[in-house]
Amino acid sequence: MNPISPANKTSVFELKGSVITILVLHIKETDADSLYPQLEKKMNQARSFFKSAPLLIDLSAVDEEQQAALDFKYLSHKLRSLGVVPVGVRGSAAGQKERVLLAGLGLLPDIKTERTFDPPADPETLETVSVKEEKPPEPVAPEEEKLPAPVAEKEEKPPEPSETVTSQAGKTAPTKIVALPVRSGQQVFAPEGDLIILSSVNAGAEVLAAGNIHIYGALRGRALAGIHGDTTARIFSLQCNPELVAVAGEYVVNELLDERIINQSVMVSLENGSLKFDVVGSFNPAS
Amino acid sequence: MIEQNLTEESEQKSARVIVVTSGKGGVGKTTTSAAFAAGLAVRGYKTVVIDFDVGLRNLDLIMGCERRVVYDLLNVIHGEGSLNQALIKDKRVSNLFILPASQTRDKDALSMDGVGEVIATLQQSFDFIVCDSPAGIEKGAMTAMYFADEALVVTNPEISSVRDSDRIIGMLASKTRRAEQDLEPVKEHLVITRYDPLRVDKGDMLSADDIHEILAIPFLGVVPESKWVLAASNSGIPVTLTEEESDAGEAYFDMVDRFLGQERPFRFLDAPRRSIFSRLFRT
């Protein structure tokens, strides 16, 4: 059920796929005269934030003709001089792939399919360049509004005693439900939506979700919500004593936790760039 | 040949396979294996206890049969000796047998298929097969747990032991035959050894309740920290077979009886009250 690494032949490395949050540069116009100055201005506003960050160039918004006008080598060089590290290009036209590779950049598959439930792009943005943290297909706001929806949906379903249930709640991303304790060495991952654990997350275990994480038990391991950068994601646990909690990459380790929240029922959210812990009650498992 | 036997004798008894496991070393797996197997045998069940700790075998010492080992588990797997030659009959309890591990071989020689055949053969003539797992999560431990129907998860009241047990419980649910073949999951039982209620009261040790809450598997019982365990080990007697009655031996018999489905009050959980005064003040 979980990727407990098999004790296979001693290998000196492991090759694994991983889901990470990455900065994406969505290029809307390739005209060098407006692109580079704007880029420079934007990047210089937050030099330290962008410093050494890997960056993905998204060309889905520009047509092939415009792409052809883009000098990938120069763009790559320019971005590096601004402190970021371009790693690849997404949404490049078929005819441009060769040039992308020649510029030392990787090719990533088009994200079109994943973006189907993207809200219509706000039309008022006239900026040619927008740099933003890549989010999971941006259902952030709509998801927040109908937070109770998946819960209601769940109640209608017959009680599922099994370990994992994925429910398709209309437009929202599927919620993953785990009924058993998550034990040391195990990892549970909800790559798209919320994660609900109906038991405890023990020390040495790790739970990750693109959305919120609800733990109806003790959280003693690691919990990482909003792993694709959803800053509105939250973590709820009945008894909070985690090794580490993180929302959208912002994390706190156990040692730095306020003692007053330890073993309380706690909600963790991201506020002004740092984690906020709210005690929402206390829970005594013995009662 | 083994397969033929299987089909011919499928009407015969089919032993329950019990793995004694913990993850962490030194918590009392071998002591528990020996005491539990002997306890089952005393209660009238034909029991064999198998040592899976290839290269670090100890079970024969604790069972007091180290000078009678001729063939071992690996000899049987590799066809160098028959199962009957390798099985050592206990001198004290007539229906208790030991299958020792190899001390000289490499643990990689322990093949899953070979062990499967040995267990399938033993299942035809025994009621219980107790597998004494080595520490760790390497091949020996994985092989020991793979064929299990039930598991005794041995834990000390100490956080590192609890965490390792947690990991092992996760593996019981994913890396065993029952998990892979989608059968009813391995039935786990929590055994807490070296328990000292006085130190629990002082806050030096985790309480049985805490451990039970973290591991969330059915609780079989505690074995108190006891001088009898070391004394019995050193004289090669399972703690359930000592001449005098011992606290640890009684604790193991309680667990054996609970395991066999009988009600037994939980003992050794509370510190003995020191005086009439403390009794007055406590309640």
Side-chain angles (χ1 to χ4, degrees):
Chain A
M1 157 175 103
N2 285 300
I4 298 163
S5 64
N8 50 4
K9 291 138 241 151
T10 43
S11 172
V12 291
F13 64 85
E14 261 184 297
L15 202 53
K16 278 183 172 174
S18 172
V19 180
I20 51 162
T21 303
I22 191 167
L23 208 60
V24 179
L25 173 69
H26 293 270
I27 295 185
K28 295 173 179 172
E29 262 177 52
T30 57
D31 177 23
D33 292 337
S34 49
L35 175 62
Y36 295 115
Q38 281 193 25
L39 205 51
E40 218 162 303
K41 191 175 156 214
K42 184 83 179 180
M43 293 291 197
N44 283 331
Q45 279 169 7
R47 223 32 212 260
S48 60
F49 175 75
F50 294 126
K51 193 165 177 359
S52 305
L55 176 128
L56 187 65
I57 302 162
D58 190 307
L59 294 176
S60 353
V62 287
D63 56 25
E64 177 152 17
E65 199 182 324
Q66 286 227 42
Q67 287 186 19
L70 193 63
D71 183 341
F72 288 107
K73 274 191 189 153
Y74 181 75
L75 175 63
S76 173
H77 173 76
K78 186 77 192 171
L79 287 167
R80 277 175 191 274
S81 73
L82 290 170
V84 291
V85 184
V87 291
V89 172
R90 184 169 73 187
S92 58
Q96 301 303 319
K97 296 201 188 300
E98 190 85 343
R99 293 180 56 233
V100 169
L101 290 173
L102 277 174
L105 296 166
L107 283 169
L108 276 97
D110 213 331
I111 201 170
K112 281 264 160 55
T113 47
E114 291 171 49
R115 306 200 117 222
T116 41
F117 37 108
D118 226 355
D122 26 354
E124 78 269 322
T125 32
L126 290 169
E127 232 188 342
T128 23
V129 177
S130 76
V131 179
K132 59 176 177 182
E133 285 270 317
E134 178 68 348
K135 288 178 182 166
E138 278 195 76
V140 181
E143 194 182 44
E144 187 77 345
E145 282 161 26
K146 45 175 131 158
L147 205 69
V151 180
E153 226 251 356
K154 204 198 94 205
E155 277 166 359
E156 281 159 29
K157 293 183 122 197
E160 301 259 20
S162 65
E163 311 93 68
T164 48
V165 184
T166 24
S167 71
Q168 204 75 44
K171 272 201 279 175
T172 52
T175 296
K176 186 168 190 171
I177 303 175
V178 176
L180 295 170
V182 187
R183 299 188 182 276
S184 183
Q186 295 182 332
Q187 191 186 53
V188 176
F189 179 34
E192 290 178 79
D194 290 358
L195 177 61
I196 300 177
I197 311 280
L198 302 174
S199 186
S200 292
V201 175
N202 282 350
E206 187 171 63
V207 291
L208 310 103
N212 306 297
I213 299 176
H214 304 254
I215 299 161
Y216 295 96
L219 169 58
R220 305 184 187 97
R222 299 153 67 94
L224 296 89
I227 51 156
H228 299 317
D230 181 355
T231 52
T232 65
R234 292 175 183 209
I235 300 168
F236 305 82
S237 73
L238 286 189
Q239 206 188 329
C240 179
N241 193 358
E243 292 172 340
L244 176 147
V245 278
V247 174
E250 204 56 49
Y251 67 89
V252 170
V253 292
N254 189 287
E255 201 178 64
L256 301 174
L257 289 175
D258 186 336
E259 278 199 11
R260 284 167 296 185
I261 67 123
I262 297 280
N263 290 331
Q264 303 298 308
S265 297
V266 169
M267 171 175 76
V268 185
S269 55
L270 190 61
E271 205 174 89
N272 300 327
S274 63
L275 292 187
K276 180 165 168 271
F277 295 80
D278 291 299
V279 174
V280 290
S282 66
F283 171 71
N284 181 4
S287 62
Chain B
M1 198 187 86
I2 289 171
E3 277 179 16
Q4 264 179 6
N5 283 347
L6 255 180
T7 44
E8 275 170 25
E9 298 176 37
S10 58
E11 293 297 298
Q12 300 238 324
K13 44 181 146 188
S14 179
R16 297 287 285 172
V17 181
I18 307 163
V19 63
V20 180
T21 185
S22 71
K24 195 170 161 62
V27 297
K29 282 182 299 297
T30 302
T31 302
T32 301
S33 299
F36 202 81
L40 286 168
V42 167
R43 290 288 184 257
Y45 294 92
K46 197 176 174 196
T47 305
V48 57
V49 52
I50 309 178
D51 191 350
F52 277 84
D53 207 345
V54 176
L56 291 169
R57 83 168 181 226
N58 287 142
L59 182 69
D60 52 333
L61 292 171
I62 303 223
M63 299 290 294
C65 64
E66 73 277 11
R67 287 179 298 150
R68 292 196 285 144
V69 176
V70 184
Y71 292 103
D72 57 50
L73 176 61
L74 284 177
N75 292 136
V76 178
I77 290 174
H78 292 252
E80 296 149 3
S82 76
L83 193 51
N84 282 332
Q85 286 174 308
L87 283 174
I88 303 172
K89 191 172 189 300
D90 191 84
K91 284 183 171 166
R92 297 152 294 213
V93 189
S94 64
N95 47 4
L96 178 61
F97 292 79
I98 300 111
L99 183 52
S102 174
Q103 182 69 349
T104 50
R105 297 285 193 98
D106 189 77
K107 64 181 187 306
D108 292 335
L110 201 60
S111 79
M112 201 65 99
D113 292 344
V115 172
E117 282 187 23
V118 169
I119 286 182
T121 313
L122 290 171
Q123 273 182 314
Q124 294 161 29
S125 45
F126 284 89
D127 297 306
F128 289 106
I129 300 171
V130 177
C131 301
D132 180 23
S133 169
I137 50 177
E138 299 298 323
K139 191 166 183 186
M142 302 316 284
T143 316
M145 73 163 65
Y146 187 79
F147 298 96
D149 301 308
E150 316 221 15
L152 302 188
V153 178
V154 183
T155 306
N156 283 171
E158 178 238 336
I159 50 168
S160 59
S161 173
V162 172
R163 183 184 294 195
D164 290 358
S165 293
D166 192 43
R167 175 98 213 234
I168 284 290
I169 298 166
M171 290 180 156
L172 286 168
S174 62
K175 300 273 171 185
T176 52
R177 181 185 63 97
R178 285 182 167 269
E180 285 178 7
Q181 297 176 3
D182 240 346
L183 303 169
E184 199 183 313
V186 176
K187 217 168 140 190
E188 299 123 339
H189 306 271
L190 176 61
V191 175
I192 301 172
T193 54
R194 310 198 67 164
Y195 197 70
D196 185 344
L198 276 174
R199 300 192 64 192
V200 172
D201 287 352
K202 274 194 270 174
D204 298 348
M205 259 186 192
L206 287 173
S207 74
D209 276 347
D210 289 344
I211 300 170
H212 185 203
E213 192 217 316
I214 293 173
L215 295 179
I217 59 170
F219 177 52
L220 194 61
V222 297
V223 181
E225 175 79 76
S226 162
K227 64 182 167 71
W228 288 99
V229 173
L230 188 62
S233 299
N234 283 336
S235 45
I237 306 167
V239 75
T240 38
L241 297 182
T242 51
E243 293 276 310
E244 287 174 77
E245 280 204 351
S246 69
D247 48 0
E250 284 179 47
Y252 276 115
F253 268 118
D254 281 357
M255 287 196 265
V256 168
D257 292 339
R258 266 180 226 125
F259 182 86
L260 293 169
Q262 289 170 37
E263 293 270 328
R264 288 285 178 275
F266 285 99
R267 296 194 276 173
F268 312 109
L269 282 169
D270 298 312
R273 301 279 157 83
R274 256 165 284 156
S275 69
I276 186 88
F277 292 105
S278 60
R279 199 175 303 169
L280 281 174
F281 286 116
R282 281 208 196 176
T283 47

